[in-house]
Amino acid sequence: MYLNSILSPPLGTTTVQSRVKKTIDFVALLETPKDTRYDGTGWVVQLWYQESEGTWQSADFSITDILNSPILSVTTAPNIIRRIYSLHLPCQNSTPVQFTLRFKPVLEDHTPWIWSNEQNGLGDGRVIFRGPSAGLPTFETLFHSSDPNLRVKFVRSQVPGVELFDVTAPIPPIANESGTATIGTPVDLELYYALVKLSSPWMGPRQGSSHLSIDRDGLLMGFLRSDGRHVVVLGVSGINDCTTYVRSDEGKILLKTRNDADNTQYHRAIIAAGWKYQEAVNAAFYRAREIIRSLSPLSSAAEEPAPTPSWYETWYDGLAYCTWNGLGRELTEERILSALQDLTDNGIYVTTLIIDDNWQSLRDNSRWDRFEANSNFPRGLGHTTSEIRRRFQNIRHIAVWHSLLGYWDGIASGGWIDTNYKCINVKWRNGKDVCVVDASDIGRMYNDFYSFLSNNGIDSIKCDAQYGIDDFDDPIVRRSLAPAYQEAFKTNSLKYFSRRAIYCMAHIPYIFFRALLPHDATRALFRNSDDFFPDVPSSHVWHIFANSMNNIYSSNLNCLPDWDMFQSALPTYAGLHAAARCISGGPIYITDSPGQHDLSLIKQIGAYSPEGYTVALRPSCIALPTDPFVAFNSNRFLKVGNFSGGRGGSSILAVFNVSESQNSELILMDDFPGLLSSHNYVIRAHTSGEVTAVKAGTGSLFPMILPQDAYELFTAVPVVEIAHPKSTAKFTFGVLGLISAMSGVSAIINQSVHVETAHIAVTVTLKALGTLGFYISDLASRDITKFLVTIAGNVVPFHTVRKSPQSNTVLEIDLETAWKELNLSTGWSNETAIGFHMK
């Protein structure tokens, strides 16, 4: 028999509630088959709970209609009944409450209870209480059993409500080894998360509950205390040749530091404590930036030129194509041109081409020989780029790939580069010999190489394998080459490419703190996780989960997180990847093989610009997980939030099932970032097109059920109430953005609504074309022949306006068709003005 139960506050995690509130308000949803035996009497639903360490006891739920708004993402099957129950549990507001849910049919007294945690694979839920603090936290109230050599200094935080501590401890030089210092055992730990080194080039997430275990070198960790505070520990690196990680041992948090200097240095960490996890993380990074800024700047580069809108928009917000998975290792000029023609023939107008690995001239297929492209480009790199720009006017940027050291195994001994630049042989990765350009000549080599690329039509760069500077065996080599290579790369990418650079395989502390933490240049693009692996099914959901969590760290760097390319025609997972890229806040690349495209999906990740290219509709912010403690495959949803527009703008929430079975949850309005309690909103679900009106700050929630590998993307748009000019009746109006795209609300540049004597006038300025949606609460009773819609001052063809078949409150306007049928062209601006008038 099919049974599904959902509880809020949820099982399997800890919920923080204010001490001011006198009850815990539980809502339970129960889905059961239709059965005449239960129609009249239904089910007994109980909370089974324990306060502190007291006796377990039960409390009965009552059936309710609290969820009276439409279900946004799932329609109940005809043979299923959904019942809603509520319980207001009085509480002492001081001790934690542990609970689960159980239920059984009313008519079957002797039937055993069905336990929700067993049914859903979730542990008990907990509610803890946050209230007025008895005083500011001290280091001793956060940790006990600390190292006696630890020095702790209270410092001022830039984030109100967050307390900050600088922590140091001496560490002598230890050749190729690391020393440790004990921060201590966390006091009252409930849950924790960490971002750790999964491999030399990549970081990834770890989560857990009361048993602290950080099994790899950690870059950042945070934990929730039983008083509701969030505590963050950030290891600080890049100072005096030291690299510091966060580890744990027998429940204690340790600092693990490699000291490459030849004298005693310091473990360094920043500890932040606040009431919201991201505020504590931000405060820690702000402090780290202050520390790094106080040092001599890494780069001596001249101040970069101010970016112009033409490249800024096309580089960050244009759809890009990368050759890696789509064309593979057999890379030739002919195959690149053929792939670009295929994209154009299918109406896919990318702005950036990334020529990935396999274009360089090599020896032994592993070492770099010379600047010019290999024999697969017989007329040279410059000829290839000239042909690309001649044939494909939509392509504004051409990037090429290279390794920071030149190629995967460095420089070819005896080759052109070895002959023309000072190169040295060093030990690498436990005794392997590698030839690299010496620190004294790497600046000249990068200058010459990037000058060659620029002169041959390349205007951007993807620099890979940057972790290599951390893998030299000798600490003297590391401290010499790491700053020299990063200085050469950063300086010359500014000089020749205005910082149109992608950092790849660069998850090492030195790069984080010395190259990407300072806000001293235009934002770079930063590969945020391990690769997209199209042929590894188990990698896809993890890829999205890891990127979402890694954004906790990378959102504080001077970069846009790049969640890597994906293939639009990938079976099962393409939509999941597309939604992830659209919510990410970073660039969007595809790597489709020629002839293998899902054009419908591509139209959902971008929109057509009148300038002749596809715009990736990037939200205003960098996406963040709503809950950093959600673990992978834990039978809980990964929820990732973003925002578009300024204050009073629109909120975007992507929900991913990152577990190996169907899952369900009650989604809170509080999960949507940036909503204002003074505003009314409508929420639209992208996959179903269903829309419902809600009020922020009311604790509203709605059920969500997702099968394995599924997702939904919601947009919450502010709406205004408008009085009819000639009556007392009112209706609600809102601009939904381009509803043909997942993040289509990000196409809105500005909007205005004016109520005049006889009609209402709406003006919307957009950055691209697609299907524009207006929410009109009484649309079902209106005659659309009385509406007037204009684009760039021209009345659109009537057949491009219709009531949505998905929702009777949404008006759809096909702007792309209208633009083409009216034979319009752009003027001095790539913005498009839409007018809407109704009586």
Side-chain angles (χ1 to χ4, degrees), residues 47 78 97 118-119 122 159 186 220 286 329 476 478 725 729 748:
L47 188 77
V97 176
E118 295 175 359
Q119 180 196 41
L122 292 166
V159 179
L220 171 78
Y286 293 160
R329 297 186 179 275
I476 296 175
R478 287 196 297 267
I748 301 172

Side-chain angles (χ1 to χ4, degrees), residues 361-369 412-416:
S361 294
L362 309 173
R363 291 191 181 184
D364 302 323
N365 292 320
S366 63
R367 295 174 177 85
W368 193 26
D369 181 11
S413 297
W416 186 90

Side-chain angles (χ1 to χ4, degrees), residues 740-761:
S740 48
M742 292 183 179
S743 53
V745 72
S746 301
I748 301 172
I749 297 172
N750 53 58
Q751 57 179 296
S752 62
V753 179
H754 298 284
V755 180
E756 301 176 6
T757 304
H759 69 281
I760 294 129

